[in-house]
Amino acid sequence: MRYNEKELQALSRQPAEKAAEIGMRVPKKGSVVKRRLVKLVVNFLFYFRTDEAEPIGALLLEHCRIAKEEPSGFSISFIEDPDRKYYFECSSEEQCQEWIDALRRASYEFMRRSLIFYRNEIQKMTGKDPLEQYGISEEARFQLNTHQA
Amino acid sequence: MKLHRKSVLSYFRGTGARAPDREGILLKKGTRNPSYQRRWFILRGNLLYYLEHQGDRTPLGLILLDSCRVEPRDSTTEPYAFVILASEEGGRSYKLAAEKKVDFDGWLQALVWAGWSQLWELLQPLQEQYQRVCQEAGVEPQAPPQEDRFLGLPCSPAPSGFQELHQRFGEEIQALARSRATRRQVDLMEFG
């Protein structure tokens, strides 16, 4: 599957929702925790060697599970491969929870579900569709039930 | 840079619970070959995939829409032509064309609105409105559905009973409220 490396690099240079130096361990045999600069941009998590400008890697934060790992750490794994986990070690419980929340909120699908949820609830409580003012109430991607055939 | 392919492919394939945001045939001008090729395009979220044929399990390519802008363009041969342009210097452009006006209109609309930031900007006022409406109605705001439950994945460890499930749900809402309060500086709400 082709993609443009420059697009990915451009994305990694956009303003980050969150960035920090965190210990990281990739799901590879014999891998150890390494200090990385971890940067959250839209629904991608980029990780850099601390002294480099270009990321080593990028994870798309969709269809993934973000779980708390003791102590003061978290892991990211993907539904299709739940045992291969990317581990992250934070410097405090608070930093850890902030990252977990930020990573979950970063998912496009999470945002979409939230939007549909809020829209539906507001409509139930007020009788008005809040998306009407934007002129997008008919858009398929914001409908409650769009299932594949 | 190593792009974690499995996550990108998994997202493309979907969970079976949601159709893509848009899909259909578009003509794509080749990079080396100037002629147009028919490709099957699938838009899911902020990612645009293209396949050689509809139904292919693996896409030919992926376009990151947050790094690009989409514009109509003039073409000598195609009346419904547009371009996806990388915003960076030296980035590539994708010259595309729809076969019909209705597809052109539909795709442009979908692509221009597909960015992550657009969805974020739509979500914020809606979230605030929901909190306000709840307060006015005197009901407790709920958290939107969590990933794990939506996909039917078990939380680990599995709750031993309703009590523990209730407790954990309460904790999740509190954590959500704490993070919202710090970011948005809204009144901290009390959750039962």
Side-chain angles (χ1 to χ4, degrees):
Chain A
M1 179 186 59
R2 289 175 231 142
Y3 63 92
N4 192 325
E5 177 86 7
K6 286 202 166 72
E7 278 165 34
L8 203 54
Q9 280 171 5
L11 203 58
S12 78
R13 286 194 279 268
Q14 282 185 17
E17 173 67 20
K18 212 166 174 58
E21 276 191 25
I22 299 185
M24 179 180 176
R25 181 159 62 87
V26 299
K28 201 171 152 185
K29 204 174 162 111
S31 104
V32 295
V33 174
K34 299 211 173 120
R35 201 134 185 87
R36 295 288 180 241
L37 173 61
V38 169
K39 194 174 172 191
L40 175 61
V41 180
V42 302
N43 51 351
F44 278 89
L45 189 67
F46 294 98
Y47 50 99
F48 304 67
R49 287 192 187 90
T50 51
D51 55 352
E52 287 178 9
E54 300 296 350
I56 317 169
L59 304 175
L60 174 66
L61 298 169
E62 303 291 339
H63 292 183
C64 64
R65 180 130 192 286
I66 296 154
K68 179 91 171 57
E69 303 284 344
E70 299 305 334
S72 61
F74 62 90
S75 65
I76 300 176
S77 57
F78 297 91
I79 316 173
E80 294 195 345
D81 221 347
D83 297 324
R84 289 186 81 240
K85 294 183 175 183
Y86 289 77
Y87 283 96
F88 298 84
E89 288 179 2
C90 301
S91 54
S92 70
E93 285 290 343
E94 198 185 351
Q95 185 193 40
C96 183
Q97 195 55 53
E98 280 177 11
W99 271 98
I100 291 175
D101 292 341
L103 292 169
R104 286 192 183 138
R105 280 196 311 260
S107 152
Y108 190 102
E109 293 305 322
F110 174 81
M111 292 203 296
R112 190 214 302 273
R113 278 200 302 280
S114 302
L115 187 145
I116 291 173
F117 172 80
Y118 294 136
R119 176 195 190 181
N120 201 48
E121 292 298 307
I122 291 170
Q123 187 148 24
K124 281 199 304 205
M125 289 193 279
T126 66
K128 283 210 302 224
D129 179 356
L131 289 191
E132 254 178 45
Q133 59 181 310
Y134 301 108
I136 51 172
S137 19
E138 296 313 308
E139 281 199 22
R141 63 191 172 122
F142 298 136
Q143 302 314 315
L144 204 43
N145 300 302
T146 10
H147 293 298
Q148 274 171 341
Chain B
M1 183 188 341
K2 182 170 177 281
L3 173 63
H4 186 263
R5 289 171 50 91
K6 277 189 190 158
S7 54
V8 172
L9 286 173
S10 162
Y11 188 51
F12 156 71
R13 284 167 193 153
T15 59
R18 189 161 199 105
D21 295 313
R22 195 177 179 90
E23 57 181 332
I25 291 175
L26 285 172
L27 303 171
K28 178 174 170 294
K29 213 167 192 192
T31 31
R32 272 160 283 189
N33 182 350
S35 68
Y36 285 92
Q37 304 272 303
R38 236 182 211 90
R39 296 284 180 241
W40 187 263
F41 278 76
I42 287 183
L43 173 65
R44 201 182 275 284
N46 54 342
L47 300 182
L48 183 63
Y49 300 86
Y50 56 95
L51 288 62
E52 197 167 358
H53 309 291
Q54 181 183 9
D56 281 354
R57 189 138 166 82
T58 302
L60 269 184
L62 163 69
I63 300 170
L64 304 178
L65 295 172
D66 296 290
S67 303
C68 304
R69 64 182 193 279
V70 184
E71 292 171 0
R73 70 180 170 96
D74 292 323
S75 156
T76 42
T77 51
E78 296 299 325
Y80 307 118
F82 61 98
V83 62
I84 300 179
L85 281 161
S87 8
E88 283 261 309
E89 275 295 318
R92 69 164 293 183
S93 63
Y94 302 88
K95 296 192 170 91
L96 305 174
E99 290 178 313
K100 294 183 285 214
K101 176 92 172 53
V102 60
D103 294 338
F104 174 79
D105 291 342
W107 273 107
L108 270 188
Q109 165 89 352
L111 291 172
V112 161
W113 280 97
W116 188 95
S117 307
Q118 277 104 325
L119 186 55
W120 173 257
E121 279 168 22
L122 206 48
L123 182 60
Q124 295 322 295
L126 230 60
Q127 186 173 311
E128 280 156 27
Q129 186 182 359
Y130 173 66
Q131 285 166 3
R132 263 200 322 273
V133 169
C134 281
Q135 266 185 331
E136 283 163 17
V139 302
E140 279 177 20
Q142 295 171 299
Q146 281 285 311
E147 175 90 87
D148 289 347
R149 281 186 279 282
F150 177 67
L151 292 173
L153 291 176
C155 300
S156 121
S160 57
F162 183 71
Q163 177 74 6
E164 199 188 310
L165 186 68
H166 190 71
Q167 160 112 358
R168 176 154 357 124
F169 191 58
E171 280 164 19
E172 278 177 29
I173 294 182
Q174 277 175 13
L176 209 69
R178 268 198 302 274
S179 64
R180 260 194 231 141
T182 12
R183 288 194 81 247
R184 294 276 150 205
Q185 289 167 355
V186 295
D187 293 337
L188 193 63
M189 287 171 281
E190 306 259 13
F191 291 97

